[in-house]
Amino acid sequence: MTGFIDAQGNELRTVTERLCSFDTTGGQEASAQEWLADKLADFGFETYEWTADAERLAKHPSFPDDPTDIEHTEASAGGPSLAERPSVAGVLEFGNPNDGPTLVLNGHMDVVPVARESWDTDPFEPTWDDAGENLTARGSADMKSGVVTCIFAAKHLAETADGELDGRIVVESVVGEEEGGLGAAAAALSNPYPFSRDAAIVAEPTDLTPVIATEGSVMKRLHLTGRSAHAATRWRGESVLPHFERIREAFYDLESERGESVTHPLYEEFPVSWPIVIGTVEAGTWSSTTPANLTAEMRLGVAPGETVDEVEAAYEERLAEVVEENEWLSEHPPTFERFSIQFEAAETDADEPVVVALQSAMADYDRDDLNTTLRGATYGADSRHYVHAEIPTVIFGPGTIEQAHFPNETIHWPDVETAGAVMVDTAREFLG
């Protein structure tokens, strides 16, 4: 590990600081990607670039059917077009590259917006603590440190391989992960390289733990119709709120039932394995008028092994039961439609060579902070796009998901150095 840190440590910090200084919210990744592509070329990588095509993504089950809704998502509305948002990659070849496997090290350049009033520092002015061990900036944990870790792991392997390896390492920095994986989905649908890909590691923050399963989600919008009335005669109206409460309780009952009936060994540690969240509720038009309309948007969890369609059907069936039992809802049926991006669940077999190589590399360090136990995650990631393209993928990276999207987002720098060293050894074993 000290060999990696001694050789790459200073530049690892410098490049991470620089990337974290770019504001890559709202689809504005281009400047950072251009800078990174130049840096990759300086390091000796052969560089590649691609952009997502909204027409093609509209045929993908994760994305809306209307290309317009993909071209400018809620996160990037009013921002650059997809054609102005390049994903970039650098490739290093070892020995006879066609005689060995290709390993992709993947991360994303986009970050979520910031509420500056909740930060103690400027989110895009990277700040170190006095000990120089904790870096605070938007994207420090999710996941620009991970992107840079991938770069220097590949670079260090190339500098120390001594001709003993065959194959390729691809380092990817993709766009639009927070919008459903625009860059990764495009790469999965249409390989941007003139060679095949055998496995991938996505360097999302996992607390230095290997994650081989990710939960999916289906986004649904519920709309209820009641009848308005003056507050003084509210009995003449039909408030939507009691009807919403019935539906909400029925959905959370189903969540509990699914927690018992849908099981997975990697998700037993979670208090709620397949959570639903009703994230927004808007009802009524005036404080002294019975609310006659309600719109609620929600996220429904999908277990590995399930499809988005199956889970959607289960909640639609439960809604139909509530409607059937209520005269008003039967006469004024709710609408329950998809919106936004859908996340299919994904899982990689534990005996895949990339998983075995990662666990072996971690075990060699014999450290308490490197837990080789395979885990599942209740979030979705770009890994699902590669898994569905039949590219075995494991998630492993520095930082914790608890810092992602959080004010004063911070990463513990020794974890970045550890992740880099582990990735070097993982890649060495995989290519060897």
PDB file of all heavy atoms in Angstrom, residues 21 37 51-52 86 98 121 165 185 187 219 235 285 337 350 402:
ATOM      1  N   SER A  21     -13.319  21.353  -7.590  1.00  0.00           N
ATOM      2  CA  SER A  21     -13.522  22.797  -7.755  1.00  0.00           C
ATOM      3  C   SER A  21     -14.452  23.119  -8.919  1.00  0.00           C
ATOM      4  O   SER A  21     -14.936  24.255  -9.033  1.00  0.00           O
ATOM      5  CB  SER A  21     -12.177  23.504  -7.960  1.00  0.00           C
ATOM      6  OG  SER A  21     -11.631  23.218  -9.239  1.00  0.00           O
ATOM      7  N   ALA A  37     -10.018  14.816 -19.584  1.00  0.00           N
ATOM      8  CA  ALA A  37      -9.531  14.133 -20.792  1.00  0.00           C
ATOM      9  C   ALA A  37      -8.101  14.551 -21.111  1.00  0.00           C
ATOM     10  O   ALA A  37      -7.256  13.716 -21.482  1.00  0.00           O
ATOM     11  CB  ALA A  37     -10.460  14.423 -21.965  1.00  0.00           C
ATOM     12  N   THR A  51     -21.376  10.642 -26.241  1.00  0.00           N
ATOM     13  CA  THR A  51     -22.519  11.341 -25.657  1.00  0.00           C
ATOM     14  C   THR A  51     -23.748  10.442 -25.762  1.00  0.00           C
ATOM     15  O   THR A  51     -23.814   9.545 -26.602  1.00  0.00           O
ATOM     16  CB  THR A  51     -22.801  12.682 -26.364  1.00  0.00           C
ATOM     17  OG1 THR A  51     -22.998  12.445 -27.768  1.00  0.00           O
ATOM     18  CG2 THR A  51     -21.658  13.656 -26.160  1.00  0.00           C
ATOM     19  N   ALA A  52     -24.694  10.692 -24.886  1.00  0.00           N
ATOM     20  CA  ALA A  52     -25.937   9.914 -24.883  1.00  0.00           C
ATOM     21  C   ALA A  52     -26.884  10.448 -25.954  1.00  0.00           C
ATOM     22  O   ALA A  52     -26.895  11.645 -26.251  1.00  0.00           O
ATOM     23  CB  ALA A  52     -26.601   9.979 -23.517  1.00  0.00           C
ATOM     24  N   PRO A  86     -20.286  15.370 -22.640  1.00  0.00           N
ATOM     25  CA  PRO A  86     -19.520  14.176 -22.991  1.00  0.00           C
ATOM     26  C   PRO A  86     -19.135  13.332 -21.779  1.00  0.00           C
ATOM     27  O   PRO A  86     -18.791  13.856 -20.713  1.00  0.00           O
ATOM     28  CB  PRO A  86     -18.265  14.763 -23.646  1.00  0.00           C
ATOM     29  CG  PRO A  86     -18.081  16.080 -22.949  1.00  0.00           C
ATOM     30  CD  PRO A  86     -19.472  16.600 -22.716  1.00  0.00           C
ATOM     31  N   ASN A  98      -4.885  -8.114 -26.399  1.00  0.00           N
ATOM     32  CA  ASN A  98      -5.924  -9.016 -26.889  1.00  0.00           C
ATOM     33  C   ASN A  98      -5.842 -10.399 -26.266  1.00  0.00           C
ATOM     34  O   ASN A  98      -6.759 -11.212 -26.433  1.00  0.00           O
ATOM     35  CB  ASN A  98      -5.843  -9.127 -28.412  1.00  0.00           C
ATOM     36  CG  ASN A  98      -6.190  -7.823 -29.098  1.00  0.00           C
ATOM     37  OD1 ASN A  98      -7.064  -7.088 -28.639  1.00  0.00           O
ATOM     38  ND2 ASN A  98      -5.497  -7.506 -30.181  1.00  0.00           N
ATOM     39  N   THR A 121     -18.660  25.932   4.383  1.00  0.00           N
ATOM     40  CA  THR A 121     -17.636  26.395   3.447  1.00  0.00           C
ATOM     41  C   THR A 121     -18.256  26.470   2.060  1.00  0.00           C
ATOM     42  O   THR A 121     -19.376  26.008   1.840  1.00  0.00           O
ATOM     43  CB  THR A 121     -16.434  25.421   3.414  1.00  0.00           C
ATOM     44  OG1 THR A 121     -16.903  24.119   3.012  1.00  0.00           O
ATOM     45  CG2 THR A 121     -15.773  25.308   4.784  1.00  0.00           C
ATOM     46  N   LEU A 165       1.670  -8.559 -17.344  1.00  0.00           N
ATOM     47  CA  LEU A 165       0.226  -8.623 -17.512  1.00  0.00           C
ATOM     48  C   LEU A 165      -0.160  -8.467 -18.981  1.00  0.00           C
ATOM     49  O   LEU A 165       0.546  -7.830 -19.763  1.00  0.00           O
ATOM     50  CB  LEU A 165      -0.460  -7.518 -16.703  1.00  0.00           C
ATOM     51  CG  LEU A 165      -0.164  -7.458 -15.206  1.00  0.00           C
ATOM     52  CD1 LEU A 165      -0.818  -6.234 -14.587  1.00  0.00           C
ATOM     53  CD2 LEU A 165      -0.633  -8.734 -14.509  1.00  0.00           C
ATOM     54  N   ALA A 185     -25.482   4.304 -19.313  1.00  0.00           N
ATOM     55  CA  ALA A 185     -26.470   3.598 -20.135  1.00  0.00           C
ATOM     56  C   ALA A 185     -26.095   3.665 -21.607  1.00  0.00           C
ATOM     57  O   ALA A 185     -26.223   2.672 -22.340  1.00  0.00           O
ATOM     58  CB  ALA A 185     -27.856   4.192 -19.911  1.00  0.00           C
ATOM     59  N   ALA A 187     -23.089   3.922 -22.818  1.00  0.00           N
ATOM     60  CA  ALA A 187     -21.942   3.044 -23.029  1.00  0.00           C
ATOM     61  C   ALA A 187     -22.349   1.576 -23.002  1.00  0.00           C
ATOM     62  O   ALA A 187     -21.764   0.742 -23.708  1.00  0.00           O
ATOM     63  CB  ALA A 187     -20.872   3.310 -21.976  1.00  0.00           C
ATOM     64  N   MET A 219     -40.623   4.828  -9.955  1.00  0.00           N
ATOM     65  CA  MET A 219     -41.138   6.132  -9.560  1.00  0.00           C
ATOM     66  C   MET A 219     -42.580   6.256 -10.059  1.00  0.00           C
ATOM     67  O   MET A 219     -42.847   6.099 -11.258  1.00  0.00           O
ATOM     68  CB  MET A 219     -40.271   7.241 -10.149  1.00  0.00           C
ATOM     69  CG  MET A 219     -38.787   7.109  -9.844  1.00  0.00           C
ATOM     70  SD  MET A 219     -38.413   7.177  -8.081  1.00  0.00           S
ATOM     71  CE  MET A 219     -38.786   8.904  -7.736  1.00  0.00           C
ATOM     72  N   TRP A 235     -68.956  19.646   4.702  1.00  0.00           N
ATOM     73  CA  TRP A 235     -69.650  18.365   4.521  1.00  0.00           C
ATOM     74  C   TRP A 235     -70.238  18.219   3.123  1.00  0.00           C
ATOM     75  O   TRP A 235     -70.587  17.123   2.720  1.00  0.00           O
ATOM     76  CB  TRP A 235     -70.750  18.224   5.577  1.00  0.00           C
ATOM     77  CG  TRP A 235     -71.695  19.401   5.633  1.00  0.00           C
ATOM     78  CD1 TRP A 235     -72.825  19.602   4.886  1.00  0.00           C
ATOM     79  CD2 TRP A 235     -71.551  20.538   6.471  1.00  0.00           C
ATOM     80  NE1 TRP A 235     -73.408  20.799   5.192  1.00  0.00           N
ATOM     81  CE2 TRP A 235     -72.659  21.397   6.176  1.00  0.00           C
ATOM     82  CE3 TRP A 235     -70.640  20.937   7.442  1.00  0.00           C
ATOM     83  CZ2 TRP A 235     -72.846  22.624   6.819  1.00  0.00           C
ATOM     84  CZ3 TRP A 235     -70.842  22.150   8.079  1.00  0.00           C
ATOM     85  CH2 TRP A 235     -71.916  22.983   7.773  1.00  0.00           C
ATOM     86  N   THR A 285     -56.095  24.036  -2.836  1.00  0.00           N
ATOM     87  CA  THR A 285     -55.770  25.301  -3.499  1.00  0.00           C
ATOM     88  C   THR A 285     -55.959  26.511  -2.585  1.00  0.00           C
ATOM     89  O   THR A 285     -55.497  27.608  -2.910  1.00  0.00           O
ATOM     90  CB  THR A 285     -56.667  25.499  -4.731  1.00  0.00           C
ATOM     91  OG1 THR A 285     -58.048  25.437  -4.323  1.00  0.00           O
ATOM     92  CG2 THR A 285     -56.404  24.424  -5.779  1.00  0.00           C
ATOM     93  N   GLU A 337     -49.356   6.725 -12.273  1.00  0.00           N
ATOM     94  CA  GLU A 337     -48.536   6.641 -13.480  1.00  0.00           C
ATOM     95  C   GLU A 337     -47.050   6.754 -13.146  1.00  0.00           C
ATOM     96  O   GLU A 337     -46.654   7.362 -12.152  1.00  0.00           O
ATOM     97  CB  GLU A 337     -48.915   7.764 -14.442  1.00  0.00           C
ATOM     98  CG  GLU A 337     -50.367   7.730 -14.881  1.00  0.00           C
ATOM     99  CD  GLU A 337     -50.767   8.952 -15.689  1.00  0.00           C
ATOM    100  OE1 GLU A 337     -50.112  10.003 -15.538  1.00  0.00           O
ATOM    101  OE2 GLU A 337     -51.734   8.856 -16.463  1.00  0.00           O
ATOM    102  N   ALA A 350     -21.320 -13.981  -6.812  1.00  0.00           N
ATOM    103  CA  ALA A 350     -20.182 -13.857  -5.907  1.00  0.00           C
ATOM    104  C   ALA A 350     -18.926 -14.524  -6.441  1.00  0.00           C
ATOM    105  O   ALA A 350     -17.811 -14.179  -6.030  1.00  0.00           O
ATOM    106  CB  ALA A 350     -20.544 -14.451  -4.543  1.00  0.00           C
ATOM    107  N   GLU A 402     -23.457   7.861   3.504  1.00  0.00           N
ATOM    108  CA  GLU A 402     -24.085   8.806   4.418  1.00  0.00           C
ATOM    109  C   GLU A 402     -23.630  10.240   4.163  1.00  0.00           C
ATOM    110  O   GLU A 402     -24.299  11.185   4.567  1.00  0.00           O
ATOM    111  CB  GLU A 402     -23.779   8.405   5.865  1.00  0.00           C
ATOM    112  CG  GLU A 402     -24.433   7.092   6.265  1.00  0.00           C
ATOM    113  CD  GLU A 402     -24.072   6.687   7.680  1.00  0.00           C
ATOM    114  OE1 GLU A 402     -23.325   7.438   8.347  1.00  0.00           O
ATOM    115  OE2 GLU A 402     -24.536   5.618   8.120  1.00  0.00           O
TER     116      GLU A 402
END
